[in-house]
Amino acid sequence: HYAVNSCLIPLCTLDSAAVTTVEGIGSTHTILHPVQERIAKAHGSQCGFCTPGFVMSMYTLLRNNPHPTEEEIELACESNLCRCTGYRGILDGFKTFSENYCCRKQLKEAEVESQEILGKIINTKHTLLSMVIIDIKNTMACKLYKLSELKSYDPSQDLIFPPELLVIKEQPIDSLCITGEKLTWYRPSTLHELLYLKKQHPKAKLVVGNTEIGIQMKLKRLSYSVLISPCEIPQLHTVKFSGEGIEIGACTTLTRFNNILKEAIEKLPEYKTRIFTAIVEMLRWFAGCQIRNVGNEYFYGFKQARRRTDDLAIVNAGMRVILTKSKQQSNYFIEDCTLCYGGMAPTTVIARQTSRFLIGRPWNETLTESVIEWLCQDMPLPFSAPGGLIEFRKALAASFFFKFYLLVTSQILLVEKDNLTTPIPSSYLSACSSFKRDPMQNIQVYEKVDPTQMQDSGMRKPIVHRSALMQATGEAIYCDDMPIFSNELNAGLVLSKKPHALIKSIRYDKALQMPGVVSHATVADIPGTNHFGPLVMDDEVFATTEVTCIGKIIGVVLADTKENADNAANAVEIEYEELPAILTIEEAIEAESFYEPIHDRQVGNVEQEFEISDHVLEGELRVGGQEHFYFETQCCLALPKLENGEIEIFASTQSPFETQMTIARALAVPANRVVCRVKRIGGGFGGKESRTVGLTTAIAVAAQKVRRPVRCALDRDIDMSITGTRHPFLFKYKAGFSNDGTIRALKIRIYSNAGNTLDLSPGVMDRALIAFRSCYHFENVDIAGYPCKTNIPSNTAFRGFGSPQGMLLTETVLTDVANTCGISQLKVRQINLHQDGDLTHYNMVIEKSRAQAVLDKVIEKCQYEYRKLQVDSYNRENRWKKRGIAVIPTGFPISYPIKFLNQGGALVMIYVDGSVLLSHGGTEMGQGLHTKLTQICSHVLGVPVGKVHMIETSTSSVPNATATSASVATDLNGGAVLNACEKLRDRIAPYQAANPKGKWEDWVQAAYFDRVNLSANGFYRLPDHVNYDWSTHTGIPFYYITYGAAVSEVEIDTLTGDYHILRSDIVMDVGKSINPAIDIGQIEGAFIQGVGLFTLEEQYFSPDGHLLTRGPGTYKLPTCTDIPNEFYIYLLPNVPNEKAVFSSKGIGEPPLFLGSSVLFAIKAAVDSARQDVGLGLIYRLDSPATCERVRMLCQDQITTAIKPSIREPNEKSWAMHV
């Protein structure tokens, strides 16, 4: 049984194979498979788009191994990606298939519930768990689900493998030829036939795993007329054992290869399997692997990727050396040597000059310094070399050799002990080890439900996401899952290929003559307005005379299939007259290319305070953009109604109302003729708030033109190329402060790359201008923000909306202040925390601050002070591995700063059978909004949650709804649901009083027969003063603040820049949680998304404006191996919030910034490395803190010896940051 990617595996390879999909193993209509049940009930499914993939990976593991270990479960999941959950819930659910994990989990729960062993546990080393128990004794709980309620797994009940395929398996495989319109597929059965086919078709590609050719065809749009699959040739699957090793056929899968080596390791003597062990380790981690010596011959492999488990390396290396021992003294000489590198040239190369130089030389510590120059000669990287990172790659090449030297020498020391003339310091040995990752440990602690609460109420219970089970079975319907209409057409987008140009001509003739093409749509087909935009209508549905970025929609081609539509769209011929383009923030500053208005704010006397400050620091900080990478790409289906100009839109959007209004304006019809419907969204994070509108409008125009349904689902690379990202920011700052770390004055200039249209960039900038202060108080501030007008696709909303960038600046300043003053990082933050009564620079008085509470609690929970001492001790003993620990608090303001947006609507209907139908203005994108609002409805009406149903979000049910964003969807829509349900409750109350022994259904029927209206509209709005005016600085921009704090500990490899997270503890103030499981899931997911933003996810553009990172191959998301080894969440108790529905707080965005605790822990580790060589601690660390930035900041004899590549006249770098 193999888990495969359905988007990559060629259909032709499945001849004689049994294919099982997620729908085939269980269903909500029949019987759920335990895998499906457990990922759902462990709260491991949020938006649900990734859930089937995880289910099938785990199902495959169980079919091959019904009793897996925790390590095997993590390994099975590490190739799957998730953008919502933070992975903890997924792993937690799946690890219930491990007996050891279940025993540990039950033991923890038993310890929590038992008071008799409390004293014993407090004296153990598990201090965090002990603290949990002390709290739980009164009001806290830690069970998000019950193990006892999970269905047991019986392997005998799994699907039976088709007997007819077992018969075929024993028969010889026949040759296969499948011919299509554009491609012929051959599957030869012998080597002779393969060689013949290759001779007949010399340009034919050989397809085995299809991981390369599949991506080339899908993303690079390369086409091949002939493909040959040699996978069924017996000789290419042969495994032969001999005295010299193992001969393995070329078509052996990596999984089988790994298993073969493991079996050999178990059976053969240890000295014969040392190389096998190393290869297994390489296959596991795709990182540096250790091979023990065979005689005096040593082999080692090294690899550094953007993400540790990534298959694509930045640089990798294989090194071999044979040493000869000197007879006179205990030292060694190099008899033979081979150094091979990947990532240093277009193909793998042998560093021949370096290898020859080394032969005959003594094996000692001076080798690395000598090797650097020779490596540069062997592998000269020009300034413009593809892949970029020139100096980093050079440093890696030399660092790998240094590691090689240390590894070999450490092996010699096992034999020579104290006799070697060139021993290595014990502090150097850490370079010889790989990161050690134990199975993940986790605890989630939250407030218990009030025991006086009605039994039927769902309020404050960790209820499973209402769609989780359907998402786990593949039954959940997303936009592109809508049934295909008989006369439906597919849309292909005609996109601009220039960043800034005039359109001279557009020719559709060739495209319209291509197979399957029916029609096309352009600006000429828009009866209404072609302009749109959330704030200012400065964007065009279809470009008219000018394009201002690559990827701007110019037209739409309609065809019978998606493939035909895309091919035809690519065939449209456009002639441009290129104009000067501005791509980067720096270019915009130089050209003074900014959007108006420029907002600023001054409080106090900044310049005077600078004069009297004990210290003044100036600097710059860049925060890179971040791709939303929602798993469901942008998608819509437009369905014309053929009368009265009516049209129905099914869309994956956070803004049904804005979609409705824009389409109505474009089609020149009243809004009541346009209905936008959203069932669920496969992830949004702000990326589907405003940037979906242009696409859906273009498709609506096309559909109305041809009077037929039109569907458009973007491919991943197109989606990433045209829809915008989180705004890149550049900060220029000056800070004055006292010797005790108190900030006296801040002067900040903020520049964001807004892109080619205004979109929501002013709001993002305003958020940064306000929220940069997080939970701190600064008396004197001079701040201004400049949204830069550039020629890249317009950047847009993203979880946090400018706050994470602004807060990162503040924490960077505080970090440098602490280092300058020689005080602790914790102390400088405690000194500057805001207090109740403080007046912010945005006119808001701090009330009921929980900043000190969350900070104190996380310090207590994680034993911060004790662990800080442990980190310092570790760093004193290790030179090349360093650890860092950091504590970061946050205060995230909640609500919109614009009054009219702070409103929500709902419609609740009770039917005579007692069932309740709920509608509201918010959209479900995995954040559990529908689930929470169902709980509110259940609680107010006093009915079980199962009686309440939410069908979809529709503009025909709730009009004029604010977009689902800003962490206020529960506040606004929940307030509206509360309002509607209270009306219905009051209407039913007389019948309940008249029949107190009756049931809910009795009271409903009685009200119906008495002609009582059982339908109610609900409405909610925030107070009028929540409305900030930048021109007069009146009103307040936000209603309340959500607080949190995190402590993270990391370990870095200073020679490669790699890191892993040892532990993260998070304490959050969520008020009184409506659903603790959903809130904890949001905290974990946001935190890991923040870790990606601040340490891993990096965008690159080409010098001519093309996005280079437009898929998972080049843009790296965190995986389940990147989350903290220990991950603990604690919800602060007894902190009700009277300003939101049922005392809850908005939670979707606030935890994201806590991911920066990992960045600052990395920075603390870098500090230690720099201190070892006498370097200062005031330096610039931009975000993300990638392995490149970390390695080059850990300066040593290698980095100082690397010479920058010479830049030739007019030579451009391969890529740039915008």
Side-chain angles (χ1 to χ4, degrees):
H1 297 273
Y2 296 94
V4 298
N5 287 323
S6 60
C7 59
L8 287 180
I9 189 166
L11 186 63
C12 298
T13 64
L14 299 179
D15 180 60
S16 302
V19 178
T20 304
T21 67
V22 70
E23 294 87 353
I25 68 171
S27 165
T28 58
H29 302 296
T30 54
I31 299 175
L32 288 170
H33 192 279
V35 173
Q36 297 169 320
E37 179 198 39
R38 295 188 191 191
I39 193 174
K41 290 188 176 179
H43 310 284
S45 182
Q46 290 186 15
C47 87
F49 213 77
C50 72
T51 305
F54 276 99
V55 167
M56 295 313 295
S57 290
M58 187 64 210
Y59 175 80
T60 302
L61 174 63
L62 291 177
R63 292 303 302 262
N64 294 322
N65 178 8
H67 304 287
T69 65
E70 292 182 59
E71 292 86 348
E72 289 169 333
I73 291 168
E74 289 189 7
L75 180 62
C77 293
E78 71 176 15
S79 295
N80 294 73
L81 293 174
C82 175
R83 195 53 156 165
C84 296
T85 66
Y87 298 102
R88 194 276 313 161
I90 297 171
L91 294 177
D92 193 31
F94 285 166
K95 286 187 178 183
T96 58
F97 290 101
S98 165
E99 293 181 7
N100 287 340
Y101 183 77
C102 289
C103 290
R104 285 198 294 109
K105 189 175 183 68
Q106 287 174 327
L107 177 61
K108 285 182 181 180
E109 292 174 352
E111 289 172 335
V112 163
E113 294 170 351
S114 173
Q115 303 303 315
E116 298 156 359
I117 60 173
L118 178 60
K120 177 182 176 182
I121 296 175
I122 290 177
N123 293 323
T124 69
K125 63 180 181 179
H126 300 293
T127 306
L128 176 116
L129 182 57
S130 305
M131 293 298 179
V132 171
I133 293 165
I134 291 171
D135 288 325
I136 294 177
K137 182 177 180 181
N138 299 312
T139 62
M140 306 302 284
C142 70
K143 288 183 181 179
L144 292 177
Y145 63 96
K146 295 180 180 179
L147 283 170
S148 60
E149 295 180 356
L150 299 179
K151 184 186 304 181
S152 61
Y153 173 55
D154 182 357
S156 67
Q157 299 304 303
D158 280 330
L159 296 171
I160 298 173
F161 190 80
E164 58 271 27
L165 292 183
L166 287 175
V167 174
I168 294 174
K169 182 182 178 182
E170 304 303 322
Q171 299 174 354
I173 296 294
D174 294 330
S175 300
L176 182 68
C177 176
I178 301 176
T179 302
E181 292 182 6
K182 300 177 182 178
L183 177 118
T184 300
W185 177 278
Y186 291 102
R187 188 190 68 192
S189 58
T190 66
L191 272 177
H192 175 76
E193 186 182 359
L194 172 62
L195 295 173
Y196 172 79
L197 288 170
K198 191 61 178 167
K199 183 178 180 180
Q200 293 295 110
H201 307 283
K203 295 184 179 181
K205 288 285 186 178
L206 298 183
V207 179
V208 182
N210 198 47
T211 54
E212 185 64 30
I213 292 175
I215 291 174
Q216 289 177 347
M217 296 179 70
K218 188 173 182 66
L219 299 184
K220 297 182 180 180
R221 291 182 169 77
L222 300 179
S223 59
Y224 302 99
S225 59
V226 177
L227 294 176
I228 302 174
S229 172
C231 293
E232 298 298 337
I233 298 174
Q235 296 94 320
L236 298 185
H237 291 275
T238 301
V239 178
K240 295 181 180 178
F241 292 84
S242 68
E244 297 180 353
I246 305 177
E247 179 184 323
I248 298 178
C251 286
T252 303
T253 65
L254 288 178
T255 303
R256 183 170 176 242
F257 180 39
N258 193 38
N259 292 335
I260 290 168
L261 294 180
K262 286 182 177 179
E263 291 174 8
I265 291 168
E266 291 180 2
K267 295 177 181 178
L268 298 176
E270 188 270 343
Y271 72 91
K272 287 188 175 183
T273 63
R274 290 166 181 164
I275 296 177
F276 303 163
T277 302
I279 296 174
V280 168
E281 179 70 8
M282 180 72 85
L283 290 171
R284 169 67 182 92
W285 286 110
F286 290 91
C289 73
Q290 182 172 335
I291 305 178
R292 304 206 176 264
N293 59 303
V294 181
N296 286 328
E297 185 174 12
Y298 302 84
F299 302 83
Y300 286 93
F302 306 93
K303 181 171 184 176
Q304 181 59 45
R306 297 181 188 276
R307 185 181 62 215
R308 189 180 319 118
T309 55
D310 191 23
D311 59 336
L312 299 175
I314 298 171
V315 176
N316 54 15
M319 300 183 185
R320 163 188 163 273
V321 67
I322 299 177
L323 300 179
T324 302
K325 186 177 180 181
S326 170
K327 296 180 180 179
Q328 288 76 27
Q329 50 188 333
S330 296
N331 61 359
Y332 287 77
F333 288 87
I334 302 171
E335 180 181 326
D336 194 18
C337 178
T338 306
L339 308 180
C340 299
Y341 285 91
M344 298 296 292
T347 58
T348 301
V349 295
I350 298 176
R352 299 186 185 278
Q353 295 183 76
T354 310
S355 300
R356 285 196 295 266
F357 164 78
L358 289 170
I359 294 173
R361 295 190 175 272
W363 185 257
N364 59 42
E365 70 278 3
T366 65
L367 287 174
T368 301
E369 186 177 348
S370 303
V371 157
I372 292 174
E373 185 176 345
W374 286 100
L375 287 175
C376 289
Q377 291 183 30
D378 272 319
M379 300 172 293
L381 285 175
F383 177 81
S384 58
L389 311 177
I390 307 302
E391 277 66 48
F392 177 48
R393 286 153 71 184
K394 292 179 181 179
L396 280 178
S399 296
F400 286 165
F401 180 82
F402 182 55
K403 277 178 170 278
F404 181 55
Y405 167 75
L406 294 175
L407 284 160
V408 172
T409 305
S410 68
Q411 294 301 304
I412 296 173
L413 285 170
L414 294 177
V415 179
E416 295 290 345
K417 297 183 179 178
D418 299 329
N419 297 324
L420 194 65
T421 57
T422 57
I424 56 178
S426 60
S427 62
Y428 280 34
L429 293 176
S430 60
C432 303
S433 61
S434 298
F435 290 130
K436 184 179 184 296
R437 181 177 177 84
D438 297 319
M440 183 192 68
Q441 300 180 49
N442 63 91
I443 299 173
Q444 305 82 40
V445 185
Y446 59 95
E447 235 175 327
K448 285 183 177 179
V449 176
D450 186 340
T452 63
Q453 180 174 295
M454 291 184 300
Q455 186 175 356
D456 281 343
S457 171
M459 183 60 58
R460 313 208 190 287
K461 295 178 181 177
I463 290 174
V464 171
H465 193 291
R466 296 304 300 273
S467 297
L469 289 172
M470 291 187 293
Q471 289 163 185
T473 59
E475 298 169 71
I477 301 297
Y478 298 86
C479 187
D480 201 32
D481 295 325
M482 294 283 295
I484 297 174
F485 292 89
S486 59
N487 61 339
E488 181 180 301
L489 296 175
N490 287 268
L493 304 183
V494 181
L495 302 173
S496 63
K497 294 181 172 60
K498 302 294 181 182
H500 193 196
L502 297 176
I503 300 174
K504 304 296 290 182
S505 65
I506 308 175
R507 293 182 290 277
Y508 285 90
D509 308 38
K510 181 180 177 181
L512 294 175
Q513 295 173 6
M514 294 179 70
V517 175
V518 174
S519 184
H520 72 295
T522 67
V523 65
D525 300 302
I526 294 182
T529 177
N530 185 44
H531 288 85
F532 73 99
L535 301 177
V536 176
M537 294 175 62
D538 63 340
D539 204 349
E540 292 182 313
V541 178
F542 296 114
T544 51
T545 60
E546 182 182 358
V547 294
T548 53
C549 73
I550 292 173
K552 176 59 191 171
I553 298 176
I554 297 174
V556 170
V557 177
L558 305 176
D560 56 350
T561 67
K562 174 176 170 54
E563 182 183 14
N564 285 338
D566 288 342
N567 290 338
N570 289 326
V572 174
E573 298 172 342
I574 304 174
E575 181 184 355
Y576 300 98
E577 179 184 325
E578 292 194 55
L579 299 172
I582 296 171
L583 302 175
T584 70
I585 292 175
E586 289 80 2
E587 291 171 354
I589 294 173
E590 183 178 355
E592 296 186 355
S593 178
F594 306 123
Y595 288 105
E596 297 290 344
I598 307 298
H599 284 163
D600 58 15
R601 182 71 169 126
Q602 296 82 34
V603 293
N605 193 325
V606 170
E607 296 303 328
Q608 179 179 307
E609 289 297 322
F610 283 146
E611 292 295 327
I612 61 176
S613 293
D614 295 324
H615 307 275
V616 175
L617 279 177
E618 293 187 66
E620 293 187 0
L621 176 71
R622 174 181 273 275
V623 183
Q626 184 182 27
E627 167 59 38
H628 300 89
F629 218 111
Y630 32 69
F631 276 23
E632 178 200 27
T633 59
Q634 292 200 14
C635 177
C636 64
L637 172 63
L639 182 63
K641 293 294 188 176
L642 305 183
E643 61 178 46
N644 299 321
E646 296 176 16
I647 189 169
E648 196 168 27
I649 306 295
F650 299 89
S652 180
T653 179
Q654 296 171 235
S655 303
F657 169 53
E658 185 64 29
T659 300
Q660 173 196 33
M661 296 305 298
T662 304
I663 290 173
R665 286 191 291 264
L667 297 180
V669 298
N672 62 9
R673 311 297 168 86
V674 181
V675 175
C676 183
R677 299 169 62 182
V678 181
K679 182 70 173 180
R680 62 175 56 83
I681 304 171
F685 315 112
K688 295 177 179 176
E689 181 176 349
S690 62
R691 300 314 297 166
T692 57
V693 175
L695 173 67
T696 52
T697 304
I699 301 308
V701 169
Q704 201 71 305
K705 175 184 179 180
V706 296
R707 312 290 282 173
R708 293 169 64 175
V710 175
R711 183 187 303 255
C712 183
L714 299 185
D715 289 334
R716 173 65 59 191
D717 61 323
I718 298 298
D719 187 292
M720 292 180 71
S721 297
I722 73 174
T723 58
T725 68
R726 185 187 297 278
H727 289 68
F729 269 59
L730 175 66
F731 297 90
K732 298 184 178 185
Y733 63 90
K734 183 177 181 181
F737 50 97
S738 303
N739 286 325
D740 67 352
T742 302
I743 303 293
R744 299 184 65 91
L746 283 172
K747 184 176 183 179
I748 305 170
R749 296 297 177 262
I750 308 178
Y751 304 89
S752 68
N753 195 328
N756 70 318
T757 66
L758 196 63
D759 193 68
L760 295 169
S761 295
V764 172
M765 179 58 75
D766 289 350
R767 258 276 181 181
L769 292 169
I770 288 173
F772 85 92
R773 68 186 297 144
S774 185
C775 53
Y776 302 107
H777 182 63
F778 308 127
E779 290 281 356
N780 303 280
V781 174
D782 177 359
I783 189 168
Y786 299 81
C788 297
K789 184 176 183 179
T790 62
N791 296 114
I792 64 171
S794 190
N795 288 320
T796 189
F798 198 139
R799 196 179 203 165
F801 207 71
S803 297
Q805 298 98 313
M807 291 177 181
L808 189 72
L809 171 71
T810 299
E811 296 294 345
T812 297
V813 171
L814 290 173
T815 299
D816 287 349
V817 167
N819 286 334
T820 300
C821 296
I823 61 177
S824 73
Q825 295 294 338
L826 175 59
K827 184 176 180 181
V828 76
R829 286 163 174 81
Q830 290 173 327
I831 286 173
N832 288 285
L833 279 184
H834 67 208
Q835 307 291 331
D836 285 353
D838 286 343
L839 179 64
T840 67
H841 70 288
Y842 51 88
N843 209 37
M844 188 171 172
V845 176
I846 300 301
E847 299 175 341
K848 296 185 178 179
S849 170
R850 312 294 185 194
Q852 189 69 59
V854 294
L855 190 58
D856 290 346
K857 185 62 73 173
V858 79
I859 294 300
E860 168 198 326
K861 291 293 176 190
C862 76
Q863 290 184 286
Y864 174 80
E865 297 292 355
Y866 171 70
R867 287 171 53 208
K868 180 71 169 63
L869 293 175
Q870 288 183 314
V871 166
D872 293 341
S873 175
Y874 179 90
N875 289 340
R876 284 192 297 270
E877 296 170 3
N878 294 277
R879 172 66 184 92
W880 305 110
K881 288 282 198 323
K882 294 292 183 181
R883 290 183 178 177
I885 188 169
V887 54
I888 298 294
T890 187
F892 191 97
I894 300 293
S895 80
Y896 293 103
I898 303 173
K899 181 169 68 175
F900 76 86
L901 293 175
N902 290 311
Q903 59 176 298
L907 173 64
V908 181
M909 295 177 284
I910 304 174
Y911 295 93
V912 291
D913 64 351
S915 62
V916 181
L917 183 62
L918 168 65
S919 298
H920 60 85
T923 56
E924 175 62 58
M925 48 189 163
Q927 82 280 38
L929 178 64
H930 288 354
T931 306
K932 282 187 173 183
L933 268 55
T934 298
Q935 291 175 266
I936 292 173
C937 184
S938 155
H939 180 75
V940 177
L941 295 180
V943 299
V945 171
K947 281 195 174 293
V948 183
H949 184 59
M950 171 79 198
I951 292 182
E952 64 180 2
T953 303
S954 173
T955 56
S956 62
S957 298
V958 176
N960 314 322
T962 298
T964 304
S965 60
S967 303
V968 294
T970 299
D971 290 6
L972 300 181
N973 297 290
V977 170
L978 172 62
N979 176 246
C981 290
E982 286 177 336
K983 293 177 182 177
L984 292 170
R985 181 192 61 193
D986 292 345
R987 293 173 191 171
I988 292 174
Y991 306 96
Q992 185 177 5
N995 182 15
K997 294 184 179 180
K999 297 184 299 183
W1000 165 256
E1001 291 81 2
D1002 299 329
W1003 305 327
V1004 168
Q1005 287 192 7
Y1008 168 72
F1009 285 125
D1010 207 21
R1011 296 177 300 173
V1012 171
N1013 182 4
L1014 294 178
S1015 171
N1017 289 98
F1019 187 75
Y1020 176 78
R1021 66 181 185 182
L1022 294 190
D1024 289 350
H1025 67 277
V1026 184
N1027 182 44
Y1028 190 65
D1029 187 330
W1030 276 92
S1031 61
T1032 61
H1033 299 294
T1034 56
I1036 62 171
F1038 305 112
Y1039 199 30
Y1040 63 86
I1041 299 174
T1042 296
Y1043 294 92
V1047 172
S1048 290
E1049 182 180 348
V1050 305
E1051 184 177 322
I1052 69 169
D1053 184 333
T1054 65
L1055 291 170
T1056 63
D1058 201 4
Y1059 79 95
H1060 74 146
I1061 310 173
L1062 299 171
R1063 175 172 168 174
S1064 289
D1065 297 75
I1066 300 173
V1067 172
M1068 285 300 301
D1069 156 36
V1070 300
K1072 302 279 285 184
S1073 176
I1074 292 173
N1075 185 320
I1078 284 177
D1079 285 348
I1080 288 169
Q1082 287 293 289
I1083 292 166
E1084 293 168 336
F1087 178 82
I1088 296 302
Q1089 198 170 65
V1091 170
L1093 166 64
F1094 294 121
T1095 70
L1096 179 63
E1097 300 175 41
E1098 190 169 30
Q1099 288 184 299
Y1100 284 101
F1101 280 78
S1102 69
D1104 59 0
H1106 285 85
L1107 180 66
L1108 299 174
T1109 46
R1110 53 180 186 269
T1114 51
Y1115 187 86
K1116 300 303 172 185
L1117 303 181
T1119 69
C1120 66
T1121 61
D1122 299 305
I1123 69 175
N1125 211 157
E1126 297 180 61
F1127 202 4
Y1128 304 120
I1129 310 295
Y1130 184 95
L1131 303 187
L1132 199 67
N1134 305 315
V1135 284
N1137 173 36
E1138 69 278 4
K1139 293 186 176 181
V1141 60
F1142 285 106
S1143 297
S1144 63
K1145 279 192 172 184
I1147 193 61
E1149 294 169 289
L1152 183 138
F1153 181 68
L1154 297 180
S1156 71
S1157 62
V1158 175
L1159 179 146
F1160 287 103
I1162 290 173
K1163 194 174 192 298
V1166 172
D1167 286 352
S1168 178
R1170 292 172 66 89
Q1171 285 175 315
D1172 282 353
V1173 293
L1175 292 174
L1177 302 184
I1178 307 301
Y1179 55 90
R1180 177 173 170 176
L1181 175 57
D1182 288 341
S1183 172
T1186 58
C1187 55
E1188 175 215 3
R1189 291 191 171 111
V1190 172
R1191 173 64 185 103
M1192 301 311 286
L1193 284 170
C1194 294
Q1195 296 178 33
D1196 50 36
Q1197 64 270 30
I1198 294 174
T1199 57
T1200 54
I1202 297 297
K1203 297 178 181 178
S1205 295
I1206 298 174
R1207 182 174 187 175
E1208 301 296 334
N1210 300 321
E1211 186 180 16
K1212 295 182 178 180
S1213 63
W1214 172 76
M1216 63 182 184
H1217 297 113
V1218 297

